[in-house]
Amino acid sequence: MTVIDQGATDMPPSTASAEPVPIKLVLSAVAATLLFASLGQTIVSTALPVMVADLGGMDKITWVMTAYLLASTIGAPVAGKLGDLYGRKMVLQWGIGVFILGAVICGTATSMGMVIAGRIIQGAGGGGLIVTCMALVGDLLPARERGKAQAVLGAAFGISTVIGPLLGGFLVQNLSWHWIFFVNFPVGALAFIVLGIALPRRRDRSRKSVDYAGGALLATLLASLVLISNTGGTVFAWTSPQVLALGIIALSALALFIRVERRAAEPILPMSLFANNTFVVMNAVGILVGMAMFGTITFLPFFLQVVKGISPTSSGLFLVPMMGGLLSASILSGRYMARTGRYKFLPVASTALLSLSLLSMTTLSVGSPLWLIALSMVGIGLGLGPVFAIGVAAIQNAIPVSMLGVGTASANMFRLIGGAVGTAAFGALFSTQLSRSLEGEVPGMGDGGVRSIGADMVQALPHDAQMLVMESISQALHPVFWIAAGAALLACLASLMLRELPLSS
């Protein structure tokens, strides 16, 4: 099967005026690229406690994830627009190069600040890679077939999310945490070569208008939102001049961004899309689901290693049930969408299940059986899968072909906004709750001591102090999962407002 040239008026720049391309080869290249980008995102989770013990900076633990998510959020719409203008191949290959540069900085880091700087660069490359991979599917396939193809990408994402924590735990135990960043290099090199062979060279070399002002304002807006979430109520009081200044910057950037986008020849995020029901509803769901997902991935390995006393590798195994559920639900949802042309009820039902599964996590304690945690993780994965598989395909079906990259990027961007803001807010809430519980109760583990807490440190404490610390960690996580469950419930209610459109075949 090949992609036939349909003319520049109907096809985006990445395929217009190009030679026929074998779809299976392209999808293989795209899946390899997505695997590369996703590994960099997930491999860090099980290594965080060890990195904190080595470098210090417990108060910065969420920034290792948040920095990546924030940079991905900013990079996604920029890469989507550049792909629309200059073709997907160029954006993918540049994204791989940027990602590898960030990995080198992280792998050679001697401080948590250096790790965070490298993660920002990694995230900028990774966000562009994920979005451009998904947009390429929209270039090549009709709407009714995209659900199955997005499910293939979901499978690559699911596999990487399972392999990532396990591989990270293995490398931490047997080598050092530095190797979790170097292990990506062979996959990146392979993806670069395969893309060079599989994707056609773009023939249209005309100069395009790039919305630099819109991109800068969007970056300012998103950075301000995450900084408010991460520092408000912890580093600074909510009413402090610093937080108020960030709020003013965010509002100003939003107002200017809307004004610039309305006038830009090639806007990063066209304002006309916000009149589209599918675009608005599915991205609102993405924000809420992103909060739930990344909050879970960030804090569960920490709970398992410090409270349950299991190894980094074993803690990674507890993400396998979630990703198994996500993978199964994603594939089945894509097939159902392709066979029936229907999709509305899928995000409604899945987010309801997600909310119930997250509610079960609010009962975590020192005595919680591991099988119950694994069962809850299966439910979380089943709740996430259909949203990921259907969301992008539904948006691509509802928007003009000329906005395919931007529309696809929006799904990833808004989900990452939820993940970045949610993880930062959850981290601030968790740290505050834990500090209050331990201050004055356990020597050396008050406000400052909590920043470097780890499994070895807790095991070295007397038995009574151990139990107090572990129970305090459990209690500090309860509000995190209550809020995540509430976000999933809101996503369910938002899904009910979706207007289902016919899928072209």
Side-chain angles (χ1 to χ4, degrees), residues 76-139:
V78 174
K81 189 62 185 182
L82 291 176
D84 285 342
L85 294 176
Y86 297 108
R88 316 290 180 211
K89 181 176 182 176
M90 182 198 74
V91 175
L92 286 171
Q93 291 186 321
W94 270 97
I96 290 173
V98 172
F99 188 92
I100 289 178
L101 174 61
V104 170
I105 294 173
C106 290
T108 56
T110 56
S111 68
M112 191 63 80
M114 191 172 173
V115 171
I116 292 170
R119 292 289 283 172
I120 291 173
I121 297 173
Q122 261 196 310
L129 289 173
I130 292 171
V131 162
T132 310
C133 287
M134 293 178 177
L136 192 56
V137 169
D139 290 346

Side-chain angles (χ1 to χ4, degrees), residues 234-295:
T234 53
V235 180
F236 306 114
W238 287 107
T239 56
S240 66
Q242 293 88 344
V243 173
L244 293 176
L246 286 172
I248 293 171
I249 291 172
L251 291 174
S252 301
L254 176 60
L256 289 172
F257 177 72
I258 293 172
R259 183 177 181 181
V260 167
E261 295 304 276
R262 284 176 173 170
R263 299 180 178 183
E266 294 287 351
I268 291 287
L269 188 60
M271 293 294 103
S272 60
L273 290 175
F274 288 92
N276 185 301
N277 170 268
T278 304
F279 179 88
V280 173
V281 170
M282 294 312 302
N283 283 326
V285 171
I287 288 177
L288 296 165
V289 167
M291 291 178 62
M293 176 183 177
F294 288 106

